[in-house]
Amino acid sequence: MKRSKGDVISVNYILTKLVNVGVFPVTVPTSPSQPSFFQSTLPSIRSNLTSPSYASIWPEIITATPSTFTLQTVIASLFTHIKKVEGLDALASARTVAKEEALLLSGILGRMTKDSDDLWDTMNAVLLGREWTVGHARIFVCWVAGCERNQFDVEALETLLGNVVDLWTNADHIRHSLLNKHHYITALLLLTISYISAPGVSSAAIKNLAFSPLFIKSISTYLTHLDPSVRRCGMMIAEEVARGAGKKLDFADWDGENDGKAWCKAIRVLTKERDIDAEIVEDSGNEAGEGAKNVNIREQPAPPSIPSQGNLPKVTKPQDRTALVQDVTEYDSDDSLTGYITSPSSSRSPSPTPSELEEIEKDPTLRVTQKKIARPVYLAQLGDMIRPAGGLKPEAEEDEAQKQQVALDVAEEQIRRKRSYGTELEENAVNLVYGLIGLQDSYELEGFSQKRQAALNALVACCPRKAALAMIEEFFKNQYSAEQRYAILNALALGARELASLPIPETPAMQTPERISFTSKRLPPMLHHKYLTAADQQLVAAPVQNLLEGISREAIDKGRDAAAEKVPAYVRERQLRIKKPARITEVTKDGTVTRPQSSQMMARPATVFTDVAAEYFICPLINRFWLFLRDEQTREARTAQQPTLHQYKGSGTGLILNALVLSHFMATLAVLVHAARHAKEWLAIVAPDALELAVTVGTRPLSSGEGEDEDADDNLPGGQASAKGKEAALLTTSLELALVVLDGCVDLDGGRTMSLEHTALVLGVSEWAEEVLSRLEKGIKMLGGGGVQEMKLRRAAAGVVLKADEVTSRWKRSMIDVLSNA
């Protein structure tokens, strides 16, 4: 029957009405009372698409839909109600389901061609504007490719590739999209690349993409992302595009299962074959029904046929193996079964077991050329093993790995043991700092990073006056990597908390050595590492960030509960002044009175952190940063008039002013300031210097290249730099440092010293935090924000606003007098 144009218009009118009343939901209904068009009609549509007359109705209706909104809603509802495909399942059954659903989309929506401009606009809004799964990505790519190998459409795939690349390379998508959206877009791009770069397909799209400046720039943006899972999405696409273009690129960082490595491995296995190559074969003998289907992949050979048990000849003695083999041989012309049963055993000797290999390795007669490395007795010997004074001799290269392993195994124990042994530790501390920081894992030693971190922590805790200053000086040199700088900052923070008798994270780098642990208290080493929880792994990766998060949360909660548990000031002062005398006193012969010391006082370290915090930790760290920043900005100013190619950019120099390392620097400083709040210099020196650094880093551009890809905003008060141009992680740690300082001021003197002596600084902090919070409330995106990072930034900004208001409301009248006199 021939359809008129009026019939199509009538159907479109009905669809529009149904869309307006919500019959095309974009999520699967969870209740039977919720109406859904495709949930009710899709089984009937699927069975009727085999009729050519019916199959031509739906594409005609889709192309004639006048409203873009209606069309997008109908298509999004259709995508929601198709069969679910396991995104990373590479089995034949999953590939067949993907191909079947692609054929369903082709029957309803029609084929996607290069010239379908209107349909492409709608599809881009649905495919790329919404968040789908990796299973949907498999169906979409197979549909665009034509669903069948004899209908393979390269031009349509190239169009899809261009649209996906536009979104994948977008800076806002890279920085602000959640991980699920990154996985979907990356899978969509990788599947499209695998279809185009398959053998027998002629296309220059992959080679053009490899040399695209926009694509190359986006890879750099991915590599600077703070989330390692997102970062590996960019690394994987870069490697696959280079391979498709005939080049070789390998980041060599895919061992393990954490940080998105497992997902990347699975998606690579999936793309080795294409869903479009799956064969759908009708099987009429299936008991499930006439429409049941059997699936095979052409590349997989069928298994050899073996006669069933009922067709085998009868054997009177089944235990007689010879008779059974003889009957099977007479029945079947294939002699393969005989070979498997009667073949003689191999003439090769069996492979040695692991225990035998250990005995062979320990045999002294076979280890005549290897000498055992002796454990160092003195710290000078330990320093020579870590950092040879005369350089590495060619004949000593074979023993260097063993020396480093022995040195790292005993380094922490030796340093802590020599803590009270004269001046040996002070004389060798600086040399050990240089050696441990500059040590490279060239031999892939087991537990290298953890053991080095433990030794550095011990140096700071046992010899703070020498080790802390040496580490601070080394941090600002341009010869170290980000991992080495992290080790320095972690050692300063964790060693300082140990000196202050504050709890530190129980990570492998800071735990007591495993050799003194009871065997019954822990699993075997392999199982112990296997069953580490995600929280344990997070503590290992970022101990300083987790410490700062706990400190800032405690400061915010403290302000919330202050009203309920507030003690009058005069009562608190009286409690501090009145001290109970010791019950038992001892009078010596000369008349002096001595008091017994408690066990807690006896256990205190010889050096208390409050005695060395300002002079050896915080002030050198802040002052050295200002000097480094001054030098970098001076170098930038000297080359500012040069061409862009020859201009000096300080943000990448030594990775110190880079947001990734600088945020860790600010977090470390916040932990140090919190641990030193009872030092005598805290209110007068430490607090104002740290607060000034936090405001400067959070509001001023530290380099001419900072935030250069974002629109500048010159309307902020006081000429401040736009908060939009700052990385969210750097803004968060700067605000948390300000929160720690303000909370300490409130605890020590109610904020009096800071409010009256540094009034402008306190008001500036309050204005800065209010501006950041206002921008977040308006929905303005920050660089590197989104997800958990945005939540942390919002919480830190709100905490600073509350603390600053608590300080200013108490001393507002005195602050006004100070400002008027100034």
Side-chain angles (χ1 to χ4, degrees), residues 80 145 165 177 268 342 421 444 624 756:
T80 303
V165 167
S177 294
R268 278 177 162 166
T342 61
Y421 286 4
E444 299 182 356
R624 194 65 180 81
L756 301 184

Side-chain angles (χ1 to χ4, degrees), residues 439-476:
L439 195 61
Q440 299 287 346
D441 190 12
S442 304
Y443 306 102
E444 299 182 356
L445 303 178
E446 182 180 359
F448 174 85
S449 300
Q450 290 80 4
K451 293 174 182 178
R452 180 179 66 174
Q453 187 67 66
L456 290 173
N457 297 349
L459 280 173
V460 175
C462 299
C463 189
R465 290 179 173 84
K466 296 287 185 178
L469 290 178
M471 289 184 186
I472 293 172
E473 288 295 326
E474 291 299 302
F475 177 81
F476 290 98

Side-chain angles (χ1 to χ4, degrees), residues 630-647:
R630 181 199 63 184
D631 295 341
E632 296 302 308
Q633 292 182 344
T634 302
R635 292 190 181 99
E636 287 186 350
R638 289 175 180 174
T639 60
Q641 305 302 325
Q642 298 291 333
T644 306
L645 184 62
H646 302 287
Q647 289 182 2

Side-chain angles (χ1 to χ4, degrees), residues 28-68:
V28 178
T30 58
S31 174
S33 61
Q34 297 176 347
S36 175
F37 177 84
F38 283 115
Q39 190 177 38
S40 303
T41 62
L42 198 58
S44 177
I45 295 174
R46 191 188 299 272
S47 61
N48 291 328
L49 281 177
T50 55
S51 173
S53 59
Y54 182 85
S56 61
I57 297 176
W58 277 104
E60 187 175 351
I61 295 173
I62 293 297
T63 54
T65 303
S67 173
T68 304

Side-chain angles (χ1 to χ4, degrees), residues 190 192-201 203 206 240 243-245 274:
L190 191 61
T192 307
I193 292 173
S194 67
Y195 274 60
I196 296 178
S197 59
V201 179
S203 176
I206 306 300
E240 296 302 324
R243 186 177 295 109
R274 303 181 303 178

Side-chain angles (χ1 to χ4, degrees), residues 161-174:
L161 178 67
N163 296 333
V164 176
V165 167
D166 289 341
L167 177 60
W168 191 84
T169 57
N170 185 273
D172 288 336
H173 162 71
I174 298 173

Side-chain angles (χ1 to χ4, degrees), residues 666-677:
M666 300 296 290
T668 302
L669 185 59
V671 173
L672 293 175
V673 170
H674 174 265
R677 62 169 52 192

